[in-house]
Amino acid sequence: MTLSERRRLLRKIPLFSELSDDELNVGLEGSTEHTYANKTIVLQRGDEGDYMLVVLSGKVRVIIQGADGRELILRDFGQGHYVGELAVFDDLPRSATIQTIEKSTLLRLQRKPLMNLIEQSPSFSKKIIANLSRRLRETTEQLRQNVLFDVYGRIMLSLIESGKSNGRRENDQLIVPKPPNVDFASNLGCRSETLGKALKDLEELQFITIDKTQRTIAVEKRGLDDYSSLT
């Protein structure tokens, strides 16, 4: 990918969208592309954070691990998104692990050029602060749900939150794609067996309806009435 192609890609990302060509050139200094196979760890918690990553193709997953060894999925990011910026800007070790969940090509943006860009562009600095604040709020909300709600509540809140961007309303239902059980359980901080039992219980209680053919879950009116105000 040429320098001009990299500039065009970065300009599609809100964090970089208002930068001039010269400013983008500063941020892209020393940048390199790397392609990884599926299920490759590309950033490890505790490592030095001397670069951030932009997803050129594929998809990556942000993971933290509990003391008991269980993994909690914080979020998945696809093409045009970026990860690993926190350690770049606060000069501390990586706080989470990043793993590919399909074959992915990633662009490394080095710390020193990014810090130079911060000095040159006040608007870029403001966007970084806004972005870090937004991601902190998202993580805080996810941890709040894990602490305050049992697995039934976490399932309902996760489905309703997912429906805001990936769902559709049909009459009194909210229809959302059903995620794979392993990923869903990891995201909720529970075991697959626990998730399966909870989904069955919620369906019997008429909070949800699972369509295995369409691979969707319908959040019923009862579930929306009880949980929508909590998201």
Side-chain angles (χ1 to χ4, degrees), residues 16-208:
F16 301 96
S17 61
E18 296 179 4
L19 298 177
S20 67
D21 284 354
D22 288 342
E23 289 172 329
L24 287 173
N25 288 343
V26 172
L28 284 166
E29 183 180 348
S31 61
T32 54
E33 294 177 38
H34 302 264
T35 299
Y36 301 92
N38 184 27
K39 296 185 179 179
T40 300
I41 293 177
V42 295
L43 297 179
Q44 181 73 55
R45 184 180 184 276
D47 286 352
E48 181 181 354
D50 52 358
Y51 58 86
M52 62 183 283
L53 298 171
V54 177
V55 183
L56 300 180
S57 65
K59 189 176 290 186
V60 300
R61 173 165 291 166
V62 183
I63 302 166
I64 58 175
Q65 193 170 51
D68 59 359
R70 285 190 296 174
E71 293 181 342
L72 174 65
I73 298 172
L74 293 183
R75 195 171 175 185
D76 296 341
F77 292 96
Q79 183 180 23
H81 290 273
Y82 55 92
V83 294
E85 77 282 4
L86 182 60
V88 170
F89 298 128
D90 68 9
D91 201 22
L92 292 173
R94 304 283 185 192
S95 59
T97 295
I98 310 293
Q99 182 181 41
T100 59
I101 53 176
E102 57 185 65
K103 183 179 179 181
S104 303
T105 299
L106 310 176
L107 177 66
R108 290 187 182 181
L109 300 180
Q110 301 296 325
R111 170 188 281 149
K112 186 175 180 179
L114 289 170
M115 298 307 291
N116 290 337
L117 182 56
I118 287 174
E119 294 178 1
Q120 295 180 24
S121 175
S123 64
F124 183 64
S125 303
K126 291 178 181 178
K127 284 194 173 184
I128 289 170
I129 294 171
N131 170 75
L132 294 177
S133 298
R134 176 178 57 79
R135 290 197 174 177
L136 177 60
R137 286 179 181 273
E138 292 172 352
T139 302
T140 300
E141 174 59 22
Q142 186 169 0
L143 295 176
R144 181 187 75 89
Q145 291 181 13
N146 287 344
V147 171
L148 296 181
F149 296 96
D150 60 15
V151 66
Y152 299 97
R154 298 203 299 274
I155 289 171
M156 296 303 298
L157 292 173
S158 178
L159 291 174
I160 292 171
E161 187 64 30
S162 173
K164 292 178 181 178
S165 56
N166 299 315
R168 67 182 190 276
R169 294 299 293 259
E170 291 186 3
N171 300 319
D172 290 330
Q173 295 177 320
L174 175 64
I175 313 295
V176 299
K178 183 181 183 300
N181 272 15
V182 173
D183 293 347
F184 199 9
S186 182
N187 191 40
L188 295 171
C190 68
R191 300 184 184 279
S192 295
E193 297 82 1
T194 303
L195 172 66
K197 180 181 182 303
L199 288 172
K200 182 178 179 181
D201 291 344
L202 287 169
E203 190 165 29
E204 289 178 352
L205 292 169
Q206 298 181 342
F207 279 86
I208 63 173

